[in-house]
Amino acid sequence: MHFSGEKVLVTGASGFVGAAVARAVAAEGGQLRLLVRATSDRTNLGGIDAEIIEGDLRDAASVRRAANGVRYLFHVAADYRLWARDPEDIVRNNRVSTEIVMGAARDAGVERIVYTSSVATLKPIDGGAADETRAATPEQAVGAYKRSKVVAERLVEAMAADGLPVVIVNPSTPIGPRDVKPTPTGRILVEAANGRMPAYVESGLNLVHVDDVAAGHLLAMEKGEIGRRYILGGQDVSLGAMLGEIARLVGRRPPTVAIPRAALFPLAYANEAWCRLMHKDDPFLTVDSLKMAAHNMYFSSARAEVELGYRARPYVEALGDAIAWFRSTGRIA
């Protein structure tokens, strides 16, 4: 989609997916406006020509200011944590911020919106790949983050039914350059590439290059049906196979020991307790992540491929790009 100088608001542009979306919009001629918190790490904004508006997604006044006068909106920002000392804080943040952003877009007369949800809102299928028809209820979601995304997505669907011109996209597990935080998957990649993962819990996930996810956002803006969900995924792969490819790419021996999930629950509880005690928000192993590992998170992007023309490159290329970027920042030796 070519934006031809039109004003485009992107939220979450300092983050992983948001930065990729912002760069894709800029490459297509969009006049970028970015809503960024004053405290956000702005590394990912380097080299992007954009109007920066400082504000908070939970502050309606700053969101209205950002939305005023824009034609298109990509709402990518989210509280992406798989654990918090107060889990309901994640749910509140994503519900409230989504309601504020969508309301501001409606009031500002934004012509078209893409809302970034997640495959976290879908129920996996054991032995198969889930599609957009597998919508979960909040009660079926494992953990606060997944529940928060379900709640927010249902809110967006209701507003779409009431006339809001919004299309929903559900990225799977993005990997690639500019994962500054990094994401939970990025942390696994870094630890594995540095030889610090001698064992693992077998599971399955759908890996996709972050730039393909960004391209999918633009396709959804151009061609997506209002109120409809589109999975933006790549390839289904077991965690063991992913770790094997990482080892091959960095010249290490892959881990060969798969640990039963049940054996790690005591360690996960202890890790979370230590983080609460030390006031840290980033345990490497959590109870919810072990619960999620019980199911292969495999997904089909067939709808997006047919209706939007979406395509994704092989996941090994995404791994290679991610490793190269992490090496450039010194995170991988």
Side-chain angles (χ1 to χ4, degrees), residues 250-304:
V250 300
R252 292 185 180 275
R253 294 181 65 180
T256 56
V257 179
I259 303 175
R261 286 187 316 115
L264 290 176
F265 275 101
L267 181 59
Y269 281 112
N271 197 7
E272 291 185 8
W274 184 83
C275 284
R276 287 191 181 91
L277 180 65
M278 302 302 293
H279 300 285
K280 293 182 177 291
D281 284 329
D282 58 348
F284 187 73
L285 182 65
T286 68
V287 173
D288 284 341
S289 66
L290 288 176
K291 291 179 179 177
M292 292 175 198
H295 304 282
N296 288 333
M297 301 297 289
Y298 292 163
F299 297 94
S300 168
S301 301
R303 175 185 288 179

